[in-house]
């Protein structure tokens, strides 16, 4: 799994994938979906899919794949290398969503929360598999939000597929466990090799787990806050953990009448629009000599 493509643009979104095995183009297949890094305040979120022919489901069970959260980093790496070697019948694809993509999506004017972003990413990966020629019949998904609503949403989008959405699907279905391992390995590697675009000097990379309740993570956030520019793009600035530190320690910014609301003028402050309005005595002001010599006058009405 090479992350060079993502590292060249780690402020955006990036898709990585294996080759599609010929068997997956000719036989009915199952597909599993899971994510890694939904909760941390640091680093990307990664969505992963794995797919294989229905006839090979038993092979995944014999590999003893499991929910990536129950495995050590070394075990995940070993299992990923094994999964990646099964090129004759197993394929995978990943969508890496940078912290910047996550935060700007969540803070746009039209409400777009993390659940909606997750659903759309999963849908895009299923569509990618179909567009790549994978003969999908069964899809298993670890739920985000209410399982019944999510399953109905996916069935409406893909009526030809048999879709199962369940909590803890990564521990129930080996194909989801495989997707979980792929996603977690990709996120771990992305976090470890993160290339900071900002000049942070000798930044300390000991930021703990990246989860908001980790004392090491909180300490790293407090230490690496720029009082004017905030955080590097490694941080999900939409998370309340980061926002709380910014509010308490960064230079305060006052947005005067950012919506052009005239009500503020009634409280003794001027509306921003008032700075662009013509003053009453503007007509008495003598024009510059350049205009007087050429007998040029200001046109009020066109």
């Amino acid at each position: 799994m090479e992350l060079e493509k993502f590292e060249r643009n780690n402020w955006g979104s990036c898709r990585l994938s294996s080759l599609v095995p010929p068997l997956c183009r000719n036989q009915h297949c199952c597909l599993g979906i899971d994510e890694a890094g939904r909760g941390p305040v640091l680093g990307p979120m990664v969505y992963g899919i794995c797919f294989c022919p229905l006839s090979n489901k038993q092979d995944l069970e014999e590999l003893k794949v499991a929910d990536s959260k129950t495995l050590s980093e070394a075990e995940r790496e070993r299992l990923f290398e094994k999964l990646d070697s099964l090129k004759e019948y197993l394929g995978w694809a990943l969508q890496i969503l940078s912290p910047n993509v996550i935060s700007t999506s969540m803070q746009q004017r039209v409400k777009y929360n993390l659940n909606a972003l997750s659903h759309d990413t999963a849908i895009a990966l299923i569509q990618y598999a179909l567009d790549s020629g994978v003969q999908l019949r069964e899809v298993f998904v670890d739920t985000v939000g209410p399982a019944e609503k999510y399953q109905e949403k996916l069935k409406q989008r893909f009526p030809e597929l048999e879709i199962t959405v369940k909590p803890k699907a990564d521990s129930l279905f080996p194909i989801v466990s495989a997707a979980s391992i792929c996603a977690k390995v990709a996120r771990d590697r992305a976090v470890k090799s993160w290339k900071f675009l900002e000049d942070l000097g000798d930044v300390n990379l000991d930021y703990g787990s990246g989860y908001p309740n980790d004392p090491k993570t909180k300490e790293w956030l407090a230490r690496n806050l720029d009082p004017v520019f905030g955080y590097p793009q490694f941080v999900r600035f939409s998370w309340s953990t980061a926002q709380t530190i910014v509010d308490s320690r960064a230079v305060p910014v006052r947005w005067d009448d950012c919506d052009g609301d005239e009500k503020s003028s009634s409280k003794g402050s001027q509306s921003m629009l008032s700075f662009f309005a013509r003053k009453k005595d503007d007509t008495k002001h003598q024009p510059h000599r350049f205009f007087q010599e050429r007998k040029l006058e200001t046109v009020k009405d066109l």
Side-chain angles (χ1 to χ4, degrees):
M1 181 193 303
E2 296 294 334
L3 296 181
E4 183 181 354
K5 181 180 176 182
F6 174 69
E7 290 172 347
R8 289 198 304 265
N9 179 14
N10 66 10
W11 64 88
S13 177
C14 177
R15 180 173 296 161
L16 306 175
S17 62
S18 69
L19 295 175
V20 176
L23 280 178
C24 294
R25 301 180 189 272
N26 302 319
Q27 297 185 23
H28 291 170
C29 295
C30 62
L31 178 147
I33 305 176
D34 199 14
E35 52 76 26
R38 177 180 172 83
V41 66
L42 302 178
M45 178 171 70
V46 181
Y47 254 80
I49 61 171
C50 270
F51 48 86
C52 72
L54 297 177
S55 58
N56 293 104
K57 290 170 71 173
Q58 183 63 35
D59 296 329
L60 286 181
E61 294 181 13
E62 293 175 0
L63 280 178
K64 300 187 184 304
V65 291
D67 173 11
S68 64
K69 294 185 288 295
T70 67
L71 302 171
S72 68
E73 183 176 352
E75 289 173 325
R76 289 193 297 267
E77 287 283 348
R78 178 183 61 79
L79 282 170
F80 172 75
E81 294 301 331
K82 182 62 178 176
L83 291 168
D84 194 39
S85 71
L86 303 175
K87 301 182 188 300
E88 68 274 13
Y89 68 83
L90 186 136
W92 54 265
L94 303 167
Q95 192 70 37
I96 307 178
L97 303 173
S98 71
N100 187 57
V101 166
I102 295 169
S103 293
T104 53
S105 296
M106 293 175 64
Q107 293 193 335
Q108 63 186 19
R109 284 184 178 272
V110 179
K111 185 178 180 181
Y112 189 55
N113 59 30
L114 192 60
N115 280 5
L117 178 60
S118 298
H119 291 177
D120 289 346
T121 304
I123 288 170
L125 283 170
I126 296 173
Q127 190 61 56
Y128 165 78
L130 291 170
D131 293 344
S132 299
V134 180
Q135 298 301 303
L136 288 184
R137 287 298 179 269
E138 299 177 1
V139 174
F140 300 92
V141 186
D142 195 7
T143 192
V144 172
E148 297 80 7
K149 291 184 178 180
Y150 190 12
Q151 181 167 298
E152 183 59 31
K153 181 177 182 178
L154 291 175
K155 282 186 175 181
Q156 289 179 1
R157 180 65 177 78
F158 303 103
E160 73 280 10
L161 303 180
E162 182 181 333
I163 296 175
T164 302
V165 179
K166 284 187 177 295
K168 306 296 182 184
D170 46 4
S171 59
L172 298 174
F173 308 106
I175 194 67
V176 181
S177 301
S180 174
I181 290 168
C182 292
K184 180 62 173 169
V185 167
R187 175 179 152 80
D188 286 348
R189 292 184 183 183
V191 169
K192 277 188 173 182
S193 62
W194 189 267
K195 299 188 186 307
F196 287 87
L197 303 177
E198 304 83 2
D199 183 9
L200 302 180
D202 296 327
V203 61
N204 182 1
L205 298 181
D206 186 14
Y207 35 70
S209 66
Y211 281 86
N213 59 353
D214 187 330
K216 277 191 174 182
T217 301
K218 289 183 177 179
E219 181 185 351
W220 190 90
L221 286 168
R223 189 171 58 246
N224 288 282
L225 172 72
D226 185 285
V228 175
F229 298 105
Y231 284 114
Q233 294 191 45
F234 185 56
V235 179
R236 302 180 191 179
F237 55 82
S238 60
W239 257 233
S240 60
T241 307
Q243 288 182 338
T244 299
I245 297 175
V246 169
D247 291 342
S248 63
R249 300 187 57 177
V251 175
V253 177
R254 186 183 68 187
W255 300 96
D256 287 330
D257 201 13
C258 60
D259 293 324
D261 189 353
E262 297 286 349
K263 293 180 181 179
S264 61
S265 61
S266 63
K267 299 177 182 179
S269 61
Q270 286 182 284
S271 165
M272 186 177 291
L273 294 177
S274 66
F275 291 97
F276 300 93
R278 181 183 294 279
K279 295 181 173 57
K280 292 181 179 179
D281 60 349
D282 274 359
T283 55
K284 299 179 182 178
H285 181 72
Q286 291 296 323
H288 189 274
R289 184 163 59 88
F290 175 88
F291 297 98
Q292 292 183 44
E293 291 174 351
R294 290 161 179 77
K295 302 187 182 302
L296 298 176
E297 297 180 359
T298 303
V299 176
K300 296 182 180 178
D301 299 311
L302 295 178

